[in-house]
């Protein structure tokens, strides 16, 4: 509860209180008349705002553009961030799961405009994230109450006295009379929600995060001008990182337009770096995503993720040229195609082939055991294994011929079987739910020189060990 002109007003209410009719804005006296046993505590707006700021900074893992929206919201601009999580749905699912697990009641809405997302998140109850299709802001907010437009309480009350309850009524009414009575803020909020007027969101950064800013004398809009400013910013930031003894793992470059809107690009590195030329090159490669509009008047470079990095001596080849930098190649490929598509394979403990290989970061160090030399494996497995039609004598003869993707392959040489019995220790795994877990693997060579890895489910004798179906699980180089 909060003091308000000598009386106490409900600032927030939990689900139980709301179900009994208590809601924010109600006086404490009226709330106690509805619920005599109501437990009320004094609100602490300062601590609440600090906690909201910490939550917004935590959300920086999803986007370079985050900002608190007091008293109970957070802005997150996820434009261009979905590929880092695989898809927009995966990003929203991860965000919702993490915040809910932290004990917060969360409502998430995604829309083209901040105003539309704000309205839907607060006035469309849903147990999962709500996504408004591009260009559908009008349909999304038409039936919502006028309070969803973030108007002052006096304006909302005045509009209700005139008979306005829903946003669609405001859209259909001539603007002149309402503007003269309630001012320009009314239709400004409406236009921002519909996408007719821009709305700037100023991102926040943690105080200890290295960052630098360039305010420009004249707005710029060309790639060449961006590249020049990027070089200056990266040089300034590298100096800060040297003094801190750290290297950047992630950089966010913010472009501030003359119309008040902001955009950002994000790059990541496989290892800590403060190489000016390398980081500038990665950023310049992304400037094509920026719409400068009428021009960019300022640019801010932030390093939200850094790691310790000591001084290092550059290695030189015998001919005096610089040796190849694998990290630079990895960064260039990862920032172009996505870090999830660039990885290295490493062996790990597993009884079945599909679970004996782990994906590590491109520069990660493999710690698992190597495969035995006498048990060769294909360089790339087919996931999941594909069924094939096979001619073979039971119980343990290799295939004489198989059909895969409507093509017939005649086997000229074969090796096997190699019998695998599954992973009985995986109590909740797929193998534990099947009555069979025996696989007999064969390496076969076909006419023309192709070499493949086939297996049969079952031991070829007992029906309880498997249905005797055949699959192809990989191909040898």
């Amino acid at each position: 509860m909060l003091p308000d002109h000598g009386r106490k007003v409900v600032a927030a209410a939990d689900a139980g209180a709301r179900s009994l009719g208590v809601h924010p804005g109600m006086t404490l006296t009226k709330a106690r008349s509805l619920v005599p046993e109501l437990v009320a505590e004094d609100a602490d707006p300062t601590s609440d705002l600090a906690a909201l700021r910490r939550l917004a900074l935590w959300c920086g893992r999803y986007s370079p553009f985050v900002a608190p929206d007091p008293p109970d919201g957070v802005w997150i601009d996820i434009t261009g961030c979905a590929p880092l999580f695989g898809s927009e749905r995966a990003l929203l699912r991860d965000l919702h799961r993490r915040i809910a697990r932290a004990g917060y009641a969360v409502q998430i809405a995604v829309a083209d405009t901040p105003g539309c997302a704000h309205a839907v998140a607060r006035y469309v109850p849903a147990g999962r994230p709500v996504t408004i299709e591009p260009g559908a802001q009008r349909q999304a907010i038409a039936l919502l109450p006028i309070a969803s437009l973030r108007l002052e309480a006096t304006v909302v009350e005045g509009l209700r006295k005139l008979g306005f309850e829903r946003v669609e009524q405001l859209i259909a009414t001539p603007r002149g009379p309402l503007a003269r009575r309630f001012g320009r803020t009314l239709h400004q909020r409406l236009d921002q929600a519909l996408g007719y007027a821009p709305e700037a969101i100023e991102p926040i950064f943690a105080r200890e995060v290295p960052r630098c800013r360039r305010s420009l004398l004249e707005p710029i809009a060309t790639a060449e001008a961006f590249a020049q400013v990027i070089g200056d910013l990266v040089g300034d930031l590298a100096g800060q990182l040297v003094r801190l003894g750290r290297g950047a793992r992630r950089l966010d470059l913010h472009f501030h337009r003359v119309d008040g809107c902001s955009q950002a690009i994000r790059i990541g590195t496989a290892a800590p770096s403060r190489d000016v030329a390398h980081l500038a090159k990665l950023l310049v490669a992304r400037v094509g995503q920026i719409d400068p509009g009428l021009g960019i008047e300022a640019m801010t470079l932030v390093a939200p993720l850094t790691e310790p990095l000591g001084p290092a001596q550059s290695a030189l080849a015998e001919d005096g040229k610089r040796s190849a930098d694998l990290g630079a190649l990895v960064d260039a490929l990862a920032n172009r195609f996505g870090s999830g598509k660039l990885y290295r394979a490493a062996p790990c403990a597993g009884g079945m082939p599909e679970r004996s290989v782990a994906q590590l970061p491109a520069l990660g160090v493999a710690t698992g055991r190597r495969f035995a030399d006498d048990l060769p494996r294909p360089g790339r497995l087919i996931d999941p294994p594909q069924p094939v039609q096979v001619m073979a004598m039971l119980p343990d003869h290799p295939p004489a011929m198989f059909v895969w993707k409507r093509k017939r392959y005649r086997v000229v040489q074969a090796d096997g079987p190699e019998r695998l019995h599954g992973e009985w220790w995986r109590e909740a795994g797929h193998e534990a739910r099947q009555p069979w877990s025996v696989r007999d693997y064969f390496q076969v060579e076909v006419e023309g020189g192709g070499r493949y890895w086939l297996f049969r489910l079952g031991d070829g004798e007992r029906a309880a060990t498997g249905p005797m179906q055949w699959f192809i699980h990989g191909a040898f180089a």
Side-chain angles (χ1 to χ4, degrees):
M1 59 184 178
L2 283 171
D4 181 35
H5 298 89
R7 59 179 185 171
K8 292 185 176 181
V9 177
V10 176
D14 61 13
R18 289 175 182 269
S19 65
L20 297 175
V22 179
H23 56 80
M26 178 183 292
T27 63
L28 182 60
T29 303
K30 183 175 181 180
R32 289 196 184 280
S33 68
L34 295 174
V35 187
E37 64 277 12
L38 182 69
V39 177
E41 296 184 1
D42 291 335
D44 188 354
T46 302
S47 298
D48 290 344
L49 182 58
L52 188 64
R53 178 183 173 86
R54 290 194 298 270
L55 178 61
L57 290 173
W58 175 87
C59 291
R61 67 178 61 198
Y62 298 98
S63 168
F65 265 102
V66 295
D69 178 30
D72 57 0
V74 174
W75 297 114
I76 308 175
D77 187 347
I78 61 172
T79 304
C81 299
L84 300 176
F85 295 83
S87 65
E88 182 178 289
R89 178 177 296 180
L91 185 155
L92 298 176
R93 184 168 58 246
D94 185 74
L95 174 62
H96 189 279
R97 176 179 58 84
R98 289 176 180 269
I99 295 182
R101 192 170 58 187
Y104 293 100
V106 56
Q107 289 273 75
I108 299 176
V110 181
D112 284 351
T113 65
C116 180
H118 183 281
V120 173
R122 286 162 174 78
Y123 291 89
V124 180
R128 56 182 177 80
V130 178
T131 300
I132 306 303
E133 295 297 325
Q137 301 92 267
R138 180 166 181 160
Q139 296 90 328
I141 67 173
L143 299 179
L144 298 183
I146 54 177
S148 65
L149 295 177
R150 297 173 290 166
L151 302 172
E152 295 181 0
T154 55
V155 175
V156 173
E157 186 63 27
L159 288 170
R160 285 176 175 167
K161 289 180 179 179
L162 296 177
F164 292 95
E165 294 291 340
R166 300 185 304 277
V167 174
E168 63 178 355
Q169 295 173 294
L170 288 177
I171 297 176
T173 302
R175 297 191 170 198
L178 293 178
R180 285 193 295 269
R181 181 164 183 173
F182 297 103
R184 61 186 298 270
T185 303
L186 169 62
H187 292 104
Q188 180 186 24
R189 288 300 193 189
L190 179 61
D191 289 342
Q192 287 174 342
L194 295 176
Y196 302 147
E199 182 174 359
I201 298 176
E202 189 65 28
I204 63 170
F205 313 107
R207 294 181 179 87
E208 66 276 8
V209 169
R211 61 182 180 272
C212 52
R213 181 184 176 96
R214 279 284 194 278
S215 296
L216 309 173
L217 294 177
E218 295 289 340
I220 60 175
T222 65
E224 294 78 10
F226 291 152
Q228 178 64 45
V229 179
I230 288 173
D232 296 339
L233 287 170
V234 174
D236 293 347
L237 190 67
Q240 297 182 35
L241 294 174
V242 169
R243 291 190 293 272
L244 295 171
R246 305 183 72 84
R249 286 295 310 276
R250 189 169 69 205
L251 291 179
D252 295 334
L253 180 58
H254 299 259
F255 297 77
H256 308 280
R257 301 196 326 187
V258 295
D259 60 2
C261 292
S262 297
Q263 300 175 62
I265 55 177
R266 168 171 285 181
I267 64 164
T269 60
S273 174
R274 49 177 181 254
D275 186 327
V276 175
H278 174 54
L279 296 177
K281 183 179 179 180
L282 295 178
L283 289 167
V284 170
R286 290 288 188 92
V287 297
Q289 303 175 5
I290 299 300
D291 177 13
L294 298 177
I296 302 297
E297 63 179 359
M299 294 168 60
T300 303
L301 182 61
V302 186
L305 180 60
T306 62
E307 292 181 0
L309 178 64
Q313 174 67 44
S314 298
L316 297 177
E318 293 181 358
D319 57 1
K321 296 182 180 180
R322 188 175 180 178
S323 60
D325 187 351
L326 180 60
L329 174 63
V330 170
D331 293 341
L333 295 175
N335 283 282
R336 181 173 181 180
F337 300 107
S339 58
K341 295 183 179 180
L342 197 66
Y343 58 87
R344 64 175 300 185
C348 64
M352 285 299 176
E354 61 268 25
R355 288 192 285 271
S356 61
V357 179
Q359 291 185 3
L360 300 180
L363 297 182
V365 178
T367 58
R369 59 176 178 82
R370 289 183 172 273
F371 299 121
D373 294 337
D374 59 343
L375 295 176
R377 295 288 187 260
R380 190 180 186 93
L381 295 178
I382 298 175
D383 185 23
Q386 297 180 4
V388 293
Q389 298 176 3
V390 172
M391 290 182 59
M393 294 179 62
L394 296 178
D396 55 5
H397 283 260
M401 182 271 296
F402 67 93
V403 179
W404 179 39
K405 293 184 177 180
R406 300 183 180 180
K407 185 176 180 180
R408 187 185 302 270
Y409 296 86
R410 186 173 299 278
V411 177
V412 295
Q413 294 188 46
D415 187 16
E418 174 192 346
R419 178 160 295 178
L420 300 181
H421 287 275
E423 300 173 337
W424 52 266
W425 59 89
R426 294 172 64 92
E427 296 180 359
H430 177 65
E431 296 292 339
R433 293 194 300 267
Q434 288 186 340
W436 57 82
S437 59
V438 175
R439 296 184 190 178
D440 282 345
Y441 278 87
F442 294 86
Q443 300 175 48
V444 300
E445 182 177 338
V446 301
E447 292 180 343
R451 297 175 64 233
Y452 301 94
W453 207 35
L454 308 180
F455 74 86
R456 178 188 62 223
L457 274 179
D459 62 3
E461 296 181 295
R462 294 168 297 172
T465 62
M468 312 305 169
Q469 295 176 348
W470 287 82
F471 297 84
I472 183 169
H473 205 170
F476 293 89

